[in-house]
Amino acid sequence: MELEKGPPECPVCFSAYDNAFKAPLILPCAHTFCLECLSRICIFKKESEVFPCPLCRAPVKVPPGGASKLPTDLSILSQFPPWKQNLQEVWLEGSKLCCKRKADVPPSSVAQDEDTVVTIDLLWSAAHPVATPGDLVAVPRQGLLSRCSLLCRNWAYLIWISTFCLILLFIIVFFPSYIHF
């Protein structure tokens, strides 16, 4: 049985590589990761500081300009369609990755007139919470009495079912002995 091989993906986030935020970058230890994952790892590191490779823990120096300046894995980039083989310019602004890019479509299908700036937040911040308190559903906490009531109700069902089974067993075992003619 042969497994179907899908597009190459980052071993940290399991997302397929692309030519922008998920660009395949190769580390000196020959492991490849996407730009976004390496940027998240390096966000608190300064230039020339060291971070460990996520797979083999080999030390890797942060290049001048950040993780986006690490070399691209050309073997993975060559597997992309021709219109995606040009890497988009990606830069770091604070804790956001920014990219000025056009739509990822073949040049013949759609005219690409305007560039769009796309950003990804690398950190969660209080200014941009994942959920606001109004979005959350309040779950009332059960008191001790209600938990006891539930437990007693379960015991009552268990006793009722046990009694019913014993009566049924008694009828099955002893009823045929009364039917002798």
Side-chain angles (χ1 to χ4, degrees):
M1 185 170 139
E2 203 172 302
L3 294 175
E4 189 175 312
K5 189 175 182 182
E9 59 186 27
C10 174
V12 174
C13 66
F14 300 111
S15 296
Y17 293 115
D18 66 13
N19 63 344
F21 297 121
K22 298 292 182 181
L25 302 180
I26 192 163
L27 300 180
C29 58
H31 291 122
T32 303
F33 303 97
C34 70
L35 170 62
E36 184 179 344
C37 289
L38 290 176
S39 295
R40 287 180 194 276
I41 292 170
C42 295
I43 195 158
F44 293 111
K45 301 287 182 185
K46 296 176 183 161
E47 293 176 2
S48 299
E49 281 191 356
V50 176
F51 70 94
C53 168
L55 286 180
C56 67
R57 312 305 286 166
V60 179
K61 276 191 174 183
V62 178
S68 62
K69 301 303 181 193
L70 286 164
T72 305
D73 190 339
L74 298 177
S75 65
I76 294 177
L77 191 65
S78 66
Q79 297 175 22
F80 292 168
W83 67 89
K84 280 183 112 177
Q85 289 185 1
N86 293 329
L87 289 177
Q88 303 294 323
E89 182 185 353
V90 179
W91 66 93
L92 188 65
E93 284 186 11
S95 65
K96 292 182 181 184
L97 271 180
C98 303
C99 175
K100 190 174 189 178
R101 68 177 188 179
K102 297 180 181 181
D104 290 330
V105 293
S108 60
S109 64
V110 176
Q112 300 175 356
D113 296 334
E114 295 185 22
D115 290 340
T116 306
V117 176
V118 181
T119 62
I120 292 180
D121 284 326
L122 297 175
L123 298 175
W124 179 84
S125 67
H128 304 297
V130 175
T132 60
D135 296 337
L136 302 176
V137 177
V139 178
R141 184 174 173 179
Q142 290 183 340
L144 181 61
L145 185 58
S146 63
R147 280 186 264 158
C148 182
S149 172
L150 181 63
L151 181 63
C152 292
R153 189 171 38 211
N154 288 342
W155 276 104
Y157 287 133
L158 184 63
I159 291 171
W160 186 84
I161 289 172
S162 299
T163 305
F164 178 75
C165 289
L166 284 173
I167 292 172
L168 187 62
L169 181 65
F170 182 77
I171 291 172
I172 290 172
V173 170
F174 291 112
F175 188 68
S177 65
Y178 290 115
I179 307 182
H180 288 332
F181 292 105

